[in-house]
Amino acid sequence: MDAFNLLKADHRKVEDLFSELESASGQAKMRVFEQIKTELELHTHIEETIFYPALEEPKQTHELTLEAYEEHDVVKKLLQQLSRAKSPTDEWEAQAKVLQENVEHHVEEEENELFKKAKAVLSEDDIETLGEQMESEKQRQQRTGSKAASGKKSAKKSASKSQSASRAPKRMPARKSASKSSSKPSGSKGSRSTKSAKKGRR
Ligand SMILES: [Fe+2]
């Protein structure tokens, strides 16, 4: 499975769900939102644990990858806030719109900028391997249910220990690119602070 095709398919799915969200109302809207939340949590999880770590080291993709982690954080915060509501108020609708715009911006940047640069630093084999790893991690998470999505946040907070546990077996060689310090406990934590110092969202 090609990593880019897998991620693009996820993006299209979320876009469809956002269209559904627009036309739904009341509790049906909240149910569509729950689906969006589940999809986005799963998607950000596989990107953050498998795809982004392969792109963090190479110079060409470094900055965009750090920015992507930050954008995920914004999306996750909005998801948390939105999920507290029992019904869609006007404020909720406004916040859901902000979520949608954030996701659209992120998807656009990923597909038009990050993926293009990623193709230059990853080999065909890398792309295939990353896709397979993300696919099987998705299936694993779906089997274990929503536990994954909610557990992810705390797993991330407790940093390298749990992350390397889940990441280690899946880590890929990234041979064309991060040949040197690919063993660094990459990922959200460290990058996040460097990133915010460096540059805000555009
Ligand atoms: Fe993403």
Side-chain angles (χ1 to χ4, degrees):
M1 163 68 87
D2 177 306
F4 302 115
N5 289 339
L6 179 133
L7 295 174
K8 281 184 191 169
D10 276 2
H11 292 164
R12 300 293 86 80
K13 187 168 183 184
V14 170
E15 280 167 8
D16 290 348
L17 286 169
F18 271 118
S19 306
E20 266 186 59
L21 189 76
E22 277 175 14
S23 49
S25 59
Q27 288 310 302
K29 195 186 257 291
M30 300 311 285
R31 283 193 293 274
V32 177
F33 167 73
E34 277 308 312
Q35 277 181 273
I36 291 176
K37 183 167 179 276
T38 303
E39 283 301 323
L40 286 175
E41 283 176 341
L42 192 52
H43 180 75
T44 53
H45 170 72
I46 58 169
E47 281 191 334
E48 289 178 13
T49 55
I50 298 162
F51 189 61
Y52 292 169
L55 301 173
E56 252 183 84
E57 290 286 328
K59 251 202 322 233
Q60 301 97 305
T61 46
H62 179 71
E63 199 168 319
L64 274 174
T65 307
L66 297 192
E67 190 173 334
Y69 279 120
E70 293 299 325
E71 290 176 349
H72 277 190
D73 270 7
V74 173
V75 164
K76 283 187 265 187
K77 276 181 196 131
L78 286 166
L79 286 172
Q80 288 310 314
Q81 285 170 19
L82 283 160
S83 64
R84 287 189 208 119
K86 299 266 184 289
S87 58
T89 60
D90 286 352
E91 284 80 21
W92 190 92
E93 299 272 7
Q95 202 166 34
K97 198 72 205 165
V98 172
L99 171 73
Q100 183 178 357
E101 285 164 2
N102 267 276
V103 170
E104 282 168 358
H105 160 82
H106 176 74
V107 163
E108 197 188 306
E109 200 160 76
E110 242 178 34
E111 293 190 11
N112 298 334
E113 298 181 46
L114 184 62
F115 288 4
K116 277 188 188 147
K117 291 182 177 174
K119 279 175 189 157
V121 302
L122 300 171
S123 69
E124 289 292 320
D125 280 355
D126 289 343
I127 294 166
E128 201 63 27
T129 307
L130 285 168
E132 279 158 21
Q133 289 171 339
M134 287 192 284
E135 175 89 70
S136 61
E137 176 61 10
K138 261 184 98 166
Q139 284 165 2
R140 195 181 72 83
Q141 295 279 356
Q142 279 161 338
R143 274 199 303 273
T144 56
S146 59
K147 190 173 142 228
S150 54
K152 175 185 49 152
K153 233 184 138 73
S154 45
K156 218 173 142 192
K157 289 257 147 56
S158 61
S160 44
K161 191 166 57 137
S162 52
Q163 285 218 348
S164 54
S166 64
R167 240 183 232 178
K170 302 189 297 286
R171 241 170 189 290
M172 53 168 313
R175 45 200 101 80
K176 258 169 86 182
S177 51
S179 44
K180 39 184 176 58
S181 54
S182 61
S183 59
K184 169 184 148 240
S186 56
S188 27
K189 266 226 139 156
S191 37
R192 179 160 303 161
S193 43
T194 26
K195 161 80 205 317
S196 39
K198 189 165 18 137
K199 153 173 194 219
R201 304 189 58 223
R202 65 174 175 164

